[in-house]
């Protein structure tokens, strides 16, 4: 009798796993519940989210058919993200997708049991999300968009040689930017360049921080920083107005007016993330799925920005670049 009761209890518990996460109750036994927390809305993160959903569809999980998605925009606000993460946990999502570093950190601090798949986390170890890229260990895995400040600055030397001072525009609250800025400083000191930093805490400070740098430096560099990415319009107005080459770290930031970058394709990253989510939904443990880094990188340039600031791309750059922002 006791055994039967236990079995019943386990069954009831198992069934309750399929409910919730913003469930509207359809197909309770077949539908998986997925929570998506996106740090904020800016072009790159939106592309990533759309591509994750495509990657899931390619793996057999179709939104509105056998999967329900509860999407939450974190609005770059830790309090909003904490609440969203708590809701996903209370609703017993089958998996939680976190887009960008602070979103992944917010979700991980609410659950060490529900599987979490992160997307586009620049440095997952430094951000405290996984023990190692090869063996994440806990309930978390995902994709990384690691960037090399050195490779982007090598491109800067090719496009606008002769600079001596580099402005660094980034957000002090983003761990994803911190490790890239450390790399920038290392590169600069090996080359004898001076780095002038201007850190912001939110996007409303970007204009003033950009102005401060524009008066002081030869070129500006921004890491893969969400706060800067969401304020590209004001940043490029300052830099392009003062003819300062503005090197960035993502294709979307070039499309939004940055001069150039060397980086990954975020539609590929999003699809890969979607496939990892499907693996987890199929029963694999995040602990055993290595973090995936994107290997294909391209040069992205903005011809309009170059024209506006009087820069001519060398033929060798034009030959291998993708032109954005047309
Ligand atoms: N890598 C960033 C992070 O870890 C997120 C990100 C993805 C991003 N694409 C971007 C930031 C484009 C700036 C621009 O949080």
């Amino acid at each position: 009798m006791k055994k039967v009761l236990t079995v019943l209890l386990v069954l009831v518990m198992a069934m309750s796993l399929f409910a919730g996460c913003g469930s509207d109750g359809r197909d309770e036994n077949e539908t998986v519940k997925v929570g998506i927390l996106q740090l904020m809305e800016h072009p790159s993160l939106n592309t990533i989210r759309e591509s994750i959903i495509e990657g899931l569809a390619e793996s057999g999980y179709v939104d509105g058919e056998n999967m329900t998605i509860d999407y939450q925009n974190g609005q770059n606000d830790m309090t909003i993200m904490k609440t969203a993460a708590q809701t996903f946990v209370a609703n017993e999502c089958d998996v939680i997708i976190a887009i960008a570093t602070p979103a992944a950190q917010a979700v991980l601090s609410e659950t060490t049991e529900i599987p979490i798949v992160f997307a586009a986390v620049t440095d997952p170890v430094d951000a405290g999300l996984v023990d190692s890229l090869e063996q994440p260990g806990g309930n978390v895995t995902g994709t990384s968009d690691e960037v090399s400040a050195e490779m982007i600055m090598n491109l800067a030397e090719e496009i606008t040689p002769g600079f001596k001072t580099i402005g660094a525009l980034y957000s002090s609250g983003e761990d994803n930017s911190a490790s890239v800025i450390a790399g920038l400083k290392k590169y600069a000191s090996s080359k004898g360049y001076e780095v002038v930093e201007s850190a912001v805490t939110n996007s409303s400070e970007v204009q003033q921080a950009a102005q401060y740098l524009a008066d002081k430096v030869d070129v500006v560099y921004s890491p893969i920083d969400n706060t800067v990415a969401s304020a590209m319009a004001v940043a490029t107005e300052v830099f392009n107005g003062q003819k300062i080459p503005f090197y960035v770290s993502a294709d979307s930031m070039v499309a939004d007016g940055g001069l150039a970058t060397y980086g990954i394709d975020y539609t590929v990253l999003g699809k890969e993330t979607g496939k990892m989510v499907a693996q987890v939904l199929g029963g694999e443990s995040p602990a055993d799925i290595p973090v995936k880094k994107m290997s294909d990188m391209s040069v992205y340039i903005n011809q309009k920005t170059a024209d506006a600031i009087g820069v001519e791309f060398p033929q060798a750059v034009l030959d291998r670049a993708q032109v954005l922002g047309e």
Side-chain angles (χ1 to χ4, degrees), residues 39 42 44-45 48 99-102 119-123 145 174 176 223-226 229 249-250 252-253 266:
L39 170 67
H42 67 63
S44 188
L45 301 189
I48 293 167
I99 305 176
T101 303
V121 167
T122 304
D123 190 339
D145 61 349
E174 296 188 35
N176 40 296
I224 195 121
D225 191 282
N226 295 285
S249 297
S252 67
M253 296 167 89
Y266 281 92

Side-chain angles (χ1 to χ4, degrees), residues 31-109:
T31 306
V32 293
K33 315 286 179 185
V34 175
I36 301 182
L37 178 59
Q38 180 174 319
L39 170 67
M40 66 199 299
E41 296 209 335
H42 67 63
S44 188
L45 301 189
N46 293 343
T47 300
I48 293 167
R49 186 182 76 249
E50 285 154 16
S51 307
I52 291 172
I53 294 169
E54 274 174 43
L56 273 163
E58 283 170 15
S59 310
Y61 292 96
V62 180
D63 187 20
E65 286 181 21
N66 57 354
M67 171 176 74
T68 56
I69 292 179
D70 183 356
Y71 166 58
Q72 298 291 328
N73 170 9
Q75 298 174 48
N76 207 13
D77 180 322
M78 266 307 180
T79 314
I80 291 173
M81 287 194 281
K82 188 178 174 66
T83 307
Q86 284 170 342
T87 308
F88 291 154
V89 173
N91 289 341
E92 299 178 318
C93 283
D94 295 296
V95 58
I96 301 172
I97 301 170
I99 305 176
T101 303
Q105 290 169 327
V107 174
L108 183 58
S109 53

